Amino acid sequence: MRAALRFGLLYLLALLLLLALGHRNQGERAQLAQLEARLEALTLREEALLKEGWQAARPHRVLDWAERQGFVPLSRGRWAP
């Protein structure tokens, strides 16, 4: 009878250990899913910012900005006498 109680106690401890490990794994999996979703969102944001930067650096847009700031392109520049 005593041996049965010991094995029963060991069995319960093993079940508790498995329950604790399963709970921890579920928490880690949920956190990993959140991190992966955030990484995907940040990747999309990075791509959008890079595209916006490339669009802003196109030659005609830079020329338009320079003309609004008062700069004169060298091709239209004149030598002052």
Side-chain angles (χ1 to χ4, degrees), residues 32-46:
L32 179 62
Q34 288 176 349
L35 288 174
E36 287 175 345
R38 184 163 186 233
L39 178 63
E40 182 67 27
L42 288 173
T43 303
L44 291 174
R45 174 114 171 99
E46 179 186 18

Side-chain angles (χ1 to χ4, degrees), residues 5-69:
L5 287 176
R6 282 186 193 157
F7 283 118
L9 182 61
L10 288 175
Y11 181 73
L12 285 176
L13 287 174
L15 284 178
L16 285 173
L17 178 66
L18 285 175
L19 177 70
L21 287 175
H23 182 69
R24 180 173 164 254
N25 285 342
Q26 283 181 347
E28 286 182 356
R29 182 174 291 175
Q31 186 178 12
L32 179 62
Q34 288 176 349
L35 288 174
E36 287 175 345
R38 184 163 186 233
L39 178 63
E40 182 67 27
L42 288 173
T43 303
L44 291 174
R45 174 114 171 99
E46 179 186 18
E47 289 174 4
L49 288 173
L50 284 172
K51 185 177 180 181
E52 183 180 330
W54 281 106
Q55 291 290 330
R58 294 176 71 188
H60 73 280
R61 297 208 48 201
V62 173
L63 179 62
D64 292 341
W65 172 84
E67 288 175 346
R68 284 194 310 269
Q69 298 299 321

